[in-house]
Amino acid sequence: MAYAERELSASGAERQAAGSYVITPPIRKLEDEIRLLRDKMEQTYREEASLNAEVVIEISRKLDQKINEYMKQRRQLSG
């Protein structure tokens, strides 16, 4: 997960300067969805005060699916 988080936290300028990869519209959309889900999960955790709350777990699962989809698309572009 740390790899995906590092890639997602880098700004577009940082990624281009590093020449690490091309951002396609589907990848950009996934990055945006992942950020939104992370924010939503963090906010829900603060409201529920528990990582074991069903709603937090549900958001976490959706986030996992989006991260897996993101990583799959990244592999397809680089491979």
Side-chain angles (χ1 to χ4, degrees):
M1 233 31 106
Y3 176 76
E5 289 178 17
R6 183 170 27 89
E7 282 195 9
L8 291 172
S9 66
S11 72
E14 290 169 328
R15 286 188 292 250
Q16 287 179 347
S20 57
Y21 58 89
V22 174
I23 301 173
T24 64
I27 287 177
R28 170 63 67 203
K29 183 178 182 220
L30 280 170
E31 288 176 345
D32 293 342
E33 290 173 356
I34 289 167
R35 279 191 201 93
L36 289 173
L37 281 169
R38 280 186 179 151
D39 291 345
K40 183 177 180 180
M41 186 176 69
E42 289 173 4
Q43 179 64 34
T44 305
Y45 163 72
R46 285 190 292 273
E47 291 169 1
E48 297 290 326
S50 172
L51 289 173
N52 295 322
E54 189 59 37
V55 66
V56 175
I57 293 169
E58 182 180 328
I59 296 167
S60 177
R61 286 182 182 137
K62 289 178 184 177
L63 179 57
D64 287 345
Q65 289 173 343
K66 291 295 179 180
I67 290 171
N68 287 335
E69 187 177 341
Y70 171 85
M71 296 305 291
K72 180 180 176 182
Q73 287 194 23
R74 293 288 307 128
R75 281 191 300 272
Q76 288 174 347
L77 281 176
S78 65

